[in-house]
């Protein structure tokens, strides 16, 4: 041990012996291999803590420098930082003795270690950059013996790989810190298959001397486990080097508690992994002397002998290693051209498509022309053809084979020439090559060949047509994705209007493309190429764009919907509908439906996107209205184009649900906050994490930027009761606002940024001064919900959210079901509105015009209110679950909504305000009579409508009833209708004029079901109680059927004045409705009986229950024939086939089963081939089932409608309704007309084509 180190130990011995506990410190020193187990035992034998410490120091004093370093690191890691500080000045310097910078100075030990680990050798032209090399070594030492990551990052061509390899050529570093060796893996841009191959190769290398030969791991998880065990057991103190990491998800495969050094262009690449992290930034420009040194090595001259032009060249190159190397290589071939190359650099000025202030980019662009000039003429033409390649796209070799009409090998030879001259970049996945140009190389080419671009685009389109003729590429072909993504781009570039229209107005192309890449890119193309597509008329383009915009959320799902069926739901004037109709008529054996009453439906939204795989909690517009940011339960932040839904960024941003996101005023940054207690700031263009704030102690509910550009201030609020202000230029919280006594749910800056409003579960809204963080005012919102006899503390009011008026004079507050508008200065209540009696308000936003307020409700809808007239001006339906957020665009022309149903919908404010508010309830009755479809429906809660389903016309509408209508029915002869009300009243009316003939106050609770008997003289009704009433309304006589112990679920008429009823008490009963007596009593189930069906021959019935079983019963013997087990959820519905042989059952998991009635055997399941993870088979519960007359087909209702082949269980067709939760399906006797209503109140009359 060095004398200096020894003296430091002796000098501070007393302090060390007094404080340290030896056990954990010894563990670390043993793992560093500087302390033996025998020495540990000697220490443990001492009786007191102080004696143990003294013995340990005695042992260290007999050892070398490594034991001093290990002891120092152990003190640091075990929390003795003050003691470690005493020893810091005594740390012995790490040196490899007589170090030399040349390869000759490397010992054979180092050569062997690096060679075995696959570390690349020095390049032929190499200059040292000792500061950076030392910085990398220093960060590696910081790892100590702990797992962690050292990231060497910088732009392409700055020398990261060379510097990293150089840092490892140090014997002392390898011996002291990585005695287990170093292992180099060149990663690059990989898909999962490519990464698995890399991992398999690494495992194979690490297992090479194993006596047991293991099979390669079969998947990434298995490989990760294998690697973890190898690093832990066989290479415990070794270093993995991952060269050229592009994607953070790749690092997760190596996140094994080991030590890793990686190179990347992306500084934030390690954000996705845990552990200690260190960074080394490699600057893009070399010092002037280093630039001269590179040139001197290329031309084999001393620096002092270089001509004056060399200095000018390095200055013109701005120190870029890539550009200096490029010109150096040219000078090696033509050593007399110094002046020529300098003149080229000085004189060439290219007009850039995307300028960069970065020196190296400028220099690369200028060096381009020199390199291209070196190509022979033939190759120059091929290189010119690359001018039309899209930016940032890796182009498969096959595309260029088609363009040049050549064999693969010929094309690869040409392209390799470009690669060798640094004019093109190449990625290889082991099987095929993909080529790409740097942005500035592409800028140079497009500028140089500007006048020929149209012809070049036309050439590639013609070559495509020649190669594929009338076919389209299939996914198994390597060029497939290129053509689907960029064929339209080339046609537009060639101004080939007819070809582009034929392509983009083809349902076949849309189907093929959306199946592969989703709808957003196509919508983007309709917008991008509208000037070419609209040369005659914009209507057709608008038809297709609207079709994709409104159905995009369906087209992104699995199984992929039938695009022809979706097209048939478009307006009949639409080109999409006309193509779909032709396609449906052409296809033999296919199964399609016409939505015959769709004329009445107007789409009020302009775009529906499904960017998340779980609930979307928040979304917001950027200030320029071009982008939308969203976040939710899937822990990701998404940024996409507001026009098309095309994804711009997807970031796995937090470790728990993300509750809010916000754009900065200039759109440069997006903030996110999460249930993981963290707040993060992201670059909204690159996705790079700028900062992480971790000062909140509970989940962070809301984040909001100030409204002025330039100086970034962020407000956040949390369940920890605090609001915090953050200045993005500082690491820590600027101010904390304390005053709330419960969770703070929401906060917002006033328009001028002088104040912040906060809403809390403590029932208050508080206003704070931004600059001082002082509380200005507090408004007790719970006072406005208190009854006269209640004390303030008795009332619990969760204040959800608030919104400022444009001038900042008023503030709108939301709590429970009320909107409250306050004057900011006086805190007086200006006005209040009760928005709904049935649901709570989740969110609100003031329209920038100040009159309109958008309100998101828990029952799936959004409403717009005029706050001046206190009137509801629009009702927006479309979401299928709770709406969490609503936000206007900065100009108020659009607003967006986000929901639990995983979608974000963008609405046009003016369009919505002009729409009507008609909604039907899901309880309806249908009579199919002489080819006509007559529908009795409950309209806007208090009216009855008789609708002709064929013509979509309202034949009769009643006046508004005093109490909401809860159920209704038609008589078979279409003379009478009856309805039950929430008040318990039942009424019979004449259909001819809508006149009420009889009324009866039958129940004290809401009437649930009513049905006429076959002679129409008697009405049978049930409510939320256990008694069925049989009312002869013409004679005003009533029979009561009493016997069930709990509420009636439903009933159905049998022949000969018999009635079958089933109940929540688990029983089924047969009644004589004339006498009111029970004729049969079946104790069917332990749970609620949810449904019953009677066999066509009348001998049997089936019961389906919440106990997850169905049963088949014999009426005659009152005995059970079969108990049908296997469903994993409540069995909600059942139906017999007309031939008496089959029974279908449907459950709440979306599963349908087909059973043999005779044997009770399960024949098969009805389920689609593939279903997205976490999504129920039928979009929810299966609520109703109906067989075709020939018993070969089955239709089911649930989240949507599905038709099935009964023999095979295959899905024949799916009809996606606008809403969901279809309660029933009414089917015509010929199985050609279907009627249902969704939860949005939209009526569907479907006719088989």
């Amino acid at each position: 041990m060095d004398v200096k180190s020894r003296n430091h130990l002796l000098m501070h011995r007393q302090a060390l012996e007094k404080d340290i506990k030896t056990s954990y410190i010894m563990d670390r020193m043993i793992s560093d291999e500087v302390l033996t187990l025998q020495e540990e035992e000697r220490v443990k034998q001492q009786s007191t803590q102080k004696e143990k410490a003294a013995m340990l120091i005695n042992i260290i004093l007999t050892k070398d420098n490594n034991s001093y370093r290990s002891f120092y690191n152990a003190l640091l890691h075990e929390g003795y930082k003050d003691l470690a500080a005493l020893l810091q000045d005594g740390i012995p310097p790490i040196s490899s003795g007589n170090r030399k910078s040349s390869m000759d100075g490397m010992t054979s030990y180092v050569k062997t270690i690096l060679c075995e680990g696959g570390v690349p050798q020095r390049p032929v032209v190499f200059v040292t950059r000792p500061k950076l090399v030392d910085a990398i070594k220093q960060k590696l030492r910081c790892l100590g013996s702990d797992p962690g990551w050292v990231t060497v990052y910088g732009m392409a061509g700055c020398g990261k790989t060379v510097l990293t390899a150089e840092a490892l050529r140090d014997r002392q570093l390898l011996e002291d810190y990585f005695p287990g060796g170093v292992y180099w893996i060149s990663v690059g841009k990989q898909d999962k298959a490519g990464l698995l191959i890399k991992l398999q190769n690494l495992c194979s290398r690490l297992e090479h001397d194993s006596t047991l030969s293991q099979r390669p791991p079969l998947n990434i998880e298995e490989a990760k486990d294998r690697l973890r065990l190898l690093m832990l057991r066989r290479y415990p103190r070794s270093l993995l080097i991952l060269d050229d990491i592009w994607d953070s998800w790749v690092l997760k495969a190596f996140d094994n508690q080991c030590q890793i050094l990686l190179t990347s262009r992306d500084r934030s690449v390690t954000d996705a992994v845990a552990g200690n992290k260190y960074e080394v930034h490699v600057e893009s420009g070399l010092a002037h002397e280093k630039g001269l040194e590179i040139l001197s090595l290329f031309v084999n001259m001393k620096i002092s002998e270089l001509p004056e032009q060399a200095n000018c060249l390095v200055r013109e190159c701005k120190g870029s290693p890539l550009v200096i190397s490029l010109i150096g290589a040219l000078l090696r071939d033509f050593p007399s051209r110094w002046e020529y190359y300098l003149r080229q650099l000085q004189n060439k000025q290219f007009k850039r498509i995307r300028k960069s202030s970065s020196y190296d980019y400028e220099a690369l662009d200028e060096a381009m022309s020199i390199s291209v000039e070196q190509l022979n003429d033939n190759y120059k033409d091929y290189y010119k053809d690359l001018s039309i390649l899209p930016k940032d796209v890796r182009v498969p070799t096959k595309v260029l084979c088609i363009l040049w009409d050549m064999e693969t090998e010929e094309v690869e030879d040409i392209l390799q020439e470009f690669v060798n001259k640094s004019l093109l970049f190449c990625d290889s996945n082991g099987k095929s090559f993909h080529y790409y140009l740097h942005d500035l190389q592409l800028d140079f080419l497009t500028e140089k060949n500007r006048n020929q671009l149209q012809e070049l685009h036309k050439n590639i389109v013609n070559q495509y047509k020649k190669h594929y003729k009338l076919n389209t590429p299939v996914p198994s072909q390597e060029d497939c994705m290129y053509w689907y993504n960029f064929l339209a781009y080339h046609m537009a570039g060639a101004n080939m209007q007819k070809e582009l229209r034929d392509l983009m107005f083809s349902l076949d192309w849309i189907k093929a493309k959306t199946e592969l890449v989703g709808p957003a890119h196509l919508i983007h193309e309709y917008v991008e190429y509208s000037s070419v597509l609209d040369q005659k008329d914009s209507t057709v383009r608008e038809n297709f764009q609207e079709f994709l915009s409104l159905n995009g959320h369906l087209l992104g799902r699995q199984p992929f919907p039938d695009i022809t069926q979706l097209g048939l739901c478009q307006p009949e004037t639409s080109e999409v509908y006309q193509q779909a109709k032709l396609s449906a008529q052409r296809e033999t054996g296919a199964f399609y439906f016409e939505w015959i009453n769709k004329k009445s439906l107007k789409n009020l939204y302009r775009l529906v996107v499904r960017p998340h795989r779980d609930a979307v909690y928040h979304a917001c517009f950027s200030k320029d209205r071009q982008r939308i940011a969203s976040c939710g339960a899937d822990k990701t932040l998404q940024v996409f184009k507001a026009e098309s839904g095309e994804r711009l960024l997807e970031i796995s941003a937090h470790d728990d649900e993300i509750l809010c996101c916000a754009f900065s005023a200039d759109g440069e940054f997006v903030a996110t906050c999460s249930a993981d207690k963290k707040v993060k700031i992201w670059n909204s263009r690159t996705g790079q994490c700028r900062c992480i704030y971790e000062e909140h102690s509970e989940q962070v509910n809301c984040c909001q930027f100030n409204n002025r550009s330039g100086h970034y201030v962020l407000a956040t609020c949390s369940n920890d009761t605090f609001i915090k202000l953050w200045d993005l230029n500082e690491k820590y919280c600027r101010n904390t606002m304390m005053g709330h006594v419960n969770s703070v749910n929401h906060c917002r800056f006033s328009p001028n940024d002088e104040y912040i409003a906060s809403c809390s579960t403590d029932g208050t809204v508080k206003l704070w001064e931004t600059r001082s963080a002082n509380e200005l005012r507090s408004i007790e919102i719970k006072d406005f919900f208190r009854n006269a006899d209640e004390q303030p503390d008795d009332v619990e009011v969760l204040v959800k959210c608030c919104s400022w008026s444009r001038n900042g004079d008023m503030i709108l507050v939301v709590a429970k079901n009320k909107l409250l508008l306050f004057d900011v200065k006086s805190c007086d209540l200006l006005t209040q509105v009760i928005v709904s009696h049935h649901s709570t308000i989740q969110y609100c936003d003031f329209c920038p015009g100040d009159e309109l307020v958008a309100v998101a409700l828990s029952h799936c809808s959004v409403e717009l209110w005029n706050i001046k007239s206190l009137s509801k001006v629009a009702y927006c339906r479309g979401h299928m679950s709770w709406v969490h957020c609503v936000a206007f665009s900065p100009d108020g022309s659009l607003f967006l909504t986000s929901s639990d149903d995983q979608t974000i919908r963008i609405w046009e404010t003016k369009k919505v305000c002009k729409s009507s508010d008609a909604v039907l309830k899901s309880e309806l009755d249908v009579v199919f009579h002489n080819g006509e479809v007559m529908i009795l429906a409950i309209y806007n809660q208090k009216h009855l409508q008789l609708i002709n389903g064929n013509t979509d016309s309202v034949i009769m509408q009643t006046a508004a009833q005093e109490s909401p209508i809860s159920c209704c029915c038609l008589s078979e002869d279409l003379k009478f209708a009856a309805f039950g009300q929430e008040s318990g009243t039942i009424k019979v009316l004449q259909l001819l004029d809508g006149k009420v003939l009889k009324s009866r106050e039958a129940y004290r609770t809401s009437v649930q079901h009513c049905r006429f008997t076959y002679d129409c003289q008697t009405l049978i009704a049930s409510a939320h109680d256990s008694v069925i009433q049989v009312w002869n309304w013409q004679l005003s006589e009533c029979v009561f059927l009493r016997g069930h112990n709990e509420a009636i679920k439903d009933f159905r008429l049998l022949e000969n004045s018999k009635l079958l009823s089933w109940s929540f008490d688990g029983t089924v009963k047969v009644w004589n409705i004339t006498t009111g007596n029970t004729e049969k009593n079946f104790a069917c189930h332990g749970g609620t009986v949810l449904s019953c069906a009677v066999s066509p021959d009348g001998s049997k019935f089936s019961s389906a229950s919440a106990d997850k079983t169905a049963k088949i019963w014999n009426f005659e013997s009152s005995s059970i024939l079969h108990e049908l087990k296997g469903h994993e959820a409540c069995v909600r519905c059942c139906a017999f086939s007309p031939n008496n042989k089959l029974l279908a059952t449907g459950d709440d998991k979306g599963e349908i089963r087909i059973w043999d009635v005779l044997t009770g055997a399960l024949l098969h399941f009805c389920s689609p081939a593939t279903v997205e993870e976490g999504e129920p088979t039928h979009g929810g519960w299966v609520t109703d089932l109906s067989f075709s007359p020939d018993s070969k087909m089955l239709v089911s209702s649930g989240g949507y409608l599905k038709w099935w082949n009964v023999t095979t269980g295959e899905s024949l067709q799916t009809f996606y309704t606008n809403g969901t939760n279809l309660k029933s399906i009414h089917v015509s006797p010929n199985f050609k007309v279907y009627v249902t209503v969704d939860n949005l109140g939209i009526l569907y009359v479907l006719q088989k084509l």
Side-chain angles (χ1 to χ4, degrees), residues 707-970:
N707 297 302
R708 289 182 189 161
S709 299
H711 190 65
Y712 304 106
V713 179
L714 182 76
T716 59
C717 60
S718 161
N719 282 3
D720 63 11
T721 74
F722 301 135
I723 303 109
K724 289 181 180 284
L725 283 185
W726 314 85
D727 188 320
L728 262 58
N729 296 321
E730 295 171 21
K731 286 184 179 178
Y732 303 105
C733 170
R734 189 179 95 177
N735 290 105
T736 300
M737 301 169 182
M738 295 175 276
H740 285 293
V741 294
N742 210 327
S743 304
V744 189
N745 304 308
H746 192 249
C747 57
R748 271 197 182 175
F749 281 95
S750 62
N752 62 6
D753 293 332
E754 287 183 14
Y755 307 108
I756 291 169
S758 61
C759 308
S760 169
T761 308
D762 65 13
T764 66
V765 170
K766 292 184 185 290
L767 302 181
W768 314 79
E769 194 176 56
T770 306
R771 188 169 293 171
S772 66
N774 290 333
E775 183 181 326
L776 288 175
R777 298 176 187 87
S778 183
I779 306 171
E780 292 283 344
I781 301 298
K782 57 187 178 185
D783 289 352
F784 301 96
F785 289 86
R786 195 172 76 222
N787 296 326
D789 56 344
E790 285 181 310
Q791 294 301 310
D793 294 340
D794 296 340
V795 185
E796 275 193 21
V797 176
L798 190 156
V799 188
K800 276 275 177 80
C801 131
C802 61
S803 184
W804 294 83
S805 63
R806 184 168 49 178
N807 59 9
D809 290 348
M810 299 179 290
I811 189 163
L812 184 73
V813 179
V814 160
K816 291 190 176 179
N817 59 348
K818 278 187 187 178
L819 286 175
L820 303 111
L821 188 66
F822 293 94
D823 180 275
V824 170
K825 285 181 183 168
S826 65
C827 292
D828 292 341
L829 178 68
L830 301 174
T831 188
Q832 62 175 312
V833 183
I834 295 175
V835 170
S836 168
H837 291 285
H838 301 287
S839 61
T840 56
I841 304 173
Q842 299 298 307
Y843 207 84
C844 72
D845 197 30
F846 239 131
C847 183
D850 273 0
E851 284 194 9
L852 282 184
V853 173
V855 179
L857 297 164
S858 59
H859 70 228
C860 320
S861 67
V862 174
E863 295 177 357
L864 295 192
W865 285 74
N866 185 311
I867 204 71
K868 289 186 178 172
S869 64
L870 303 185
S871 59
K872 180 163 69 171
V873 293
Y875 174 82
C876 311
R877 52 191 181 162
H879 283 294
M880 300 188 193
S881 190
W882 280 36
V883 184
H884 288 289
C885 170
V886 57
F888 281 99
S889 62
D891 62 359
S893 63
L894 303 174
F895 64 94
L896 61 77
T897 54
S898 70
S899 161
D900 263 355
D901 67 11
Q902 305 178 7
T903 67
I904 295 166
R905 291 168 192 255
I906 292 108
W907 314 71
E908 291 183 50
T909 310
K910 278 185 183 170
K911 212 175 182 183
V912 163
C913 291
K914 288 177 186 169
S915 70
S916 64
D917 193 354
V919 177
L920 302 183
K921 281 190 77 167
S922 54
E923 291 77 10
L924 51 79
D925 197 16
V926 181
V927 171
F928 298 97
H929 183 73
N930 295 336
E932 291 204 316
V933 184
M934 304 305 289
I935 301 159
L936 187 68
I938 302 163
Y939 168 77
N940 281 3
Q941 307 250 3
K942 292 192 175 182
H943 301 266
L944 262 195
Q945 277 189 349
L946 182 66
I947 302 165
N948 184 320
N950 304 65
T951 61
D952 196 28
S953 54
V954 177
I955 297 168
M956 182 277 298
Q957 180 173 314
T958 66
Q961 301 298 308
E962 64 284 354
S963 167
I965 302 171
S966 51
C967 62
C968 62
C969 66
L970 278 168

Side-chain angles (χ1 to χ4, degrees), residues 379 408-418 420 435:
Y379 276 62
T408 303
E409 291 75 12
E410 291 178 273
V411 170
E412 285 174 354
D413 288 346
I414 293 167
L415 297 174
Q416 190 57 44
E417 180 72 14
F418 302 150
N420 291 343
Y435 298 92

Side-chain angles (χ1 to χ4, degrees), residues 980-1157:
Q981 294 176 264
E982 288 183 10
S983 62
T985 304
I986 48 178
K987 294 180 181 179
V988 177
L989 55 85
Q990 193 164 273
L991 280 180
L992 192 64
D993 53 10
K995 180 184 171 188
V996 174
L997 301 174
K998 285 286 174 77
S999 174
R1000 170 178 167 78
E1001 291 182 12
Y1003 293 98
R1004 291 180 181 177
T1005 59
S1006 177
V1007 183
Q1008 294 301 296
H1009 301 285
C1010 59
R1011 282 190 194 93
F1012 283 104
T1013 53
Y1014 300 118
D1015 61 6
C1016 307
Q1017 297 192 7
T1018 302
L1019 186 71
I1020 304 172
S1022 68
H1024 269 310
D1025 71 10
S1026 60
V1027 179
I1028 299 170
Q1029 298 193 16
V1030 182
W1031 177 39
N1032 186 319
W1033 58 273
Q1034 292 188 334
L1035 300 176
S1036 297
E1037 294 173 354
C1038 191
V1039 175
F1040 297 90
L1041 309 183
R1042 305 178 197 274
H1044 283 295
N1045 296 324
E1046 290 183 45
I1048 307 297
K1049 184 73 179 75
D1050 205 351
F1051 58 82
R1052 66 171 288 168
L1053 276 162
L1054 304 174
E1055 293 178 350
N1056 305 323
S1057 302
K1058 302 285 193 297
L1059 182 85
L1060 185 76
S1061 67
W1062 51 97
S1063 161
F1064 284 89
D1065 63 12
T1067 66
V1068 174
K1069 296 180 187 293
V1070 178
W1071 309 82
N1072 183 313
I1073 58 172
T1074 310
T1075 64
N1077 296 330
T1078 309
E1079 297 204 345
K1080 301 265 184 189
N1081 191 8
F1082 299 86
C1084 289
H1085 294 273
T1088 302
V1089 182
L1090 296 172
S1091 170
C1092 284
V1094 177
S1095 63
D1097 62 7
S1099 65
K1100 294 178 275 292
F1101 78 90
S1102 62
S1103 59
S1105 169
D1107 66 10
K1108 303 180 186 177
T1109 68
K1111 295 178 182 179
I1112 301 175
W1113 303 81
N1114 185 300
F1115 273 122
E1116 193 65 38
S1117 64
S1118 300
S1119 61
I1120 184 170
L1121 298 175
H1122 305 292
E1123 183 174 7
L1124 312 176
K1125 294 181 176 178
H1127 281 286
E1128 294 175 12
C1130 297
V1131 187
R1132 192 154 295 273
C1133 55
C1134 52
F1136 282 96
S1137 63
N1139 64 7
N1140 277 304
K1141 291 180 180 178
L1142 305 172
L1143 179 76
T1145 55
D1147 69 21
D1148 285 3
K1149 209 177 167 188
E1151 190 177 87
I1152 298 165
R1153 295 176 176 229
I1154 309 287
W1155 311 83
D1156 186 309
V1157 171

Side-chain angles (χ1 to χ4, degrees), residues 123 304 318 352 361 394 479 488 551 583 604 692 778 780 851 911 1004 1054 1057 1139 1189:
S304 57
K318 285 95 174 176
R352 294 198 224 336
Y361 281 151
R394 279 145 177 75
D479 60 326
N551 291 288
S583 173
L604 303 178
I692 302 173
S778 183
E780 292 283 344
E851 284 194 9
K911 212 175 182 183
R1004 291 180 181 177
L1054 304 174
S1057 302
N1139 64 7

Side-chain angles (χ1 to χ4, degrees), residues 454-470:
Q454 190 167 319
E455 277 308 309
L456 293 170
H457 279 294
K458 188 178 281 187
N459 182 38
I460 196 169
V461 173
N462 288 334
Q463 289 296 103
Y464 166 85
K465 286 161 73 178
K466 178 183 167 186
H467 182 82
Y468 280 107
K469 300 182 173 65
L470 296 174

